[in-house]
Amino acid sequence: MFDILNVVLPTFIVILIGFIFGKTKKRNISAVVDITIYIALPALVFTSMMEKQIILEDAFKIWVSALLVMVGCGLVSWIVFKILKQKHSALYIPITIMNTVNIPFPIIYLAFGVEGLFAATLFYIPNAILIYSWGVYVASGKKFSESIKEVLKVPLIYAAIIALLFNLMRVNVPDLIIGPLQFIGLMAIPLILLVLGYNLSNVKITSLSTTFLASFFRMGIGLLLGFAVVYLFNLQGILRAVVILDSAMPAAVFSSVLATKYKNEADLVSSVVFVTTLISLVTIPFLLLILS
């Protein structure tokens, strides 16, 4: 348990530092966010995916697992809300889309090393495509074709796809390129945690009953589906651990950004992001304990 706390606590301490900074200093951190999204994270994703030879069958299983978990969470919540006669739109985004970068990347990297981060990156790909297409579509009400354009603006997608192709074709990238990218990637993890903490500092919790119900759908149903898909695809070892962990992660921070941008259940969505992140303080150490 002490080893697990050594993995989890540094992550949440950095989030807390970002949270305190957000509460005490109101600053425009858009430049930090841009550096993280457009430079640091793509570098981290690219280099991590070049570290280990990809087995296409395993990659396919992780991609399908991610999709099944997300669709399953969304479907269960839709059925329950129908029974309860509650109408929601943007609330389905934090229920369906889990946080696959801010929290899992540093924790999985510390717990399982490069191989774990590699698997987490594969899990991230369908997650990112879904939130930047379906997520934008649901939050904004735009045509699906217009929402797809948002996917093309995400550099992490390009970094992951290029690294995937290079890996499968066994292209050797010179150390002159890999070295600087690895160095740049080192700043990604602390930056994404600080940004997450800063964003959470602006959240106001509303409608507790609906918030906790949606949080259960995201993490409780997500965990059950995670165990189901690893059994279905016979995933073992680190791949199994990463899929289960990612399936039970808190709601994606970007779902709050989308809801706020398009003024669609913004307070409720942000509440789910905040509550699930707090709950993960307990669930992540527990899951690491049983999966390690």
Side-chain angles (χ1 to χ4, degrees), residues 115-134:
E115 186 175 353
L117 184 58
F118 164 82
T121 301
L122 289 176
F123 195 99
Y124 162 80
I125 294 174
N127 178 278
I129 292 174
L130 197 63
I131 194 169
Y132 286 105
S133 55
W134 173 82

Side-chain angles (χ1 to χ4, degrees), residues 86-204:
Q86 292 187 24
K87 292 184 179 180
H88 297 289
S89 53
L91 183 60
Y92 290 109
I93 302 174
I95 292 172
T96 302
I97 309 295
M98 67 285 287
N99 186 327
T100 53
V101 177
N102 304 75
I103 294 177
F105 267 30
I107 288 177
I108 288 172
Y109 180 72
L110 290 172
F112 303 108
V114 171
E115 186 175 353
L117 184 58
F118 164 82
T121 301
L122 289 176
F123 195 99
Y124 162 80
I125 294 174
N127 178 278
I129 292 174
L130 197 63
I131 194 169
Y132 286 105
S133 55
W134 173 82
V136 173
Y137 170 73
V138 170
S140 68
K142 290 183 178 180
K143 293 181 180 178
F144 194 77
S145 58
E146 293 179 12
S147 301
I148 290 294
K149 294 177 183 178
E150 297 296 324
V151 179
L152 302 178
K153 298 177 183 178
V154 184
L156 268 73
I157 295 293
Y158 294 107
I161 291 174
I162 293 171
L164 178 64
L165 293 174
F166 279 10
N167 193 307
L168 292 174
M169 294 186 293
R170 300 189 178 183
V171 175
N172 290 320
V173 180
D175 290 340
L176 186 63
I177 295 176
I178 288 291
L181 289 178
Q182 288 177 329
F183 188 57
I184 292 171
L186 290 174
M187 69 177 176
I189 289 176
L191 281 179
I192 58 177
L193 294 176
L194 288 170
V195 169
L196 171 58
Y198 185 91
N199 287 338
L200 290 177
S201 70
N202 298 313
V203 172
K204 294 180 180 179

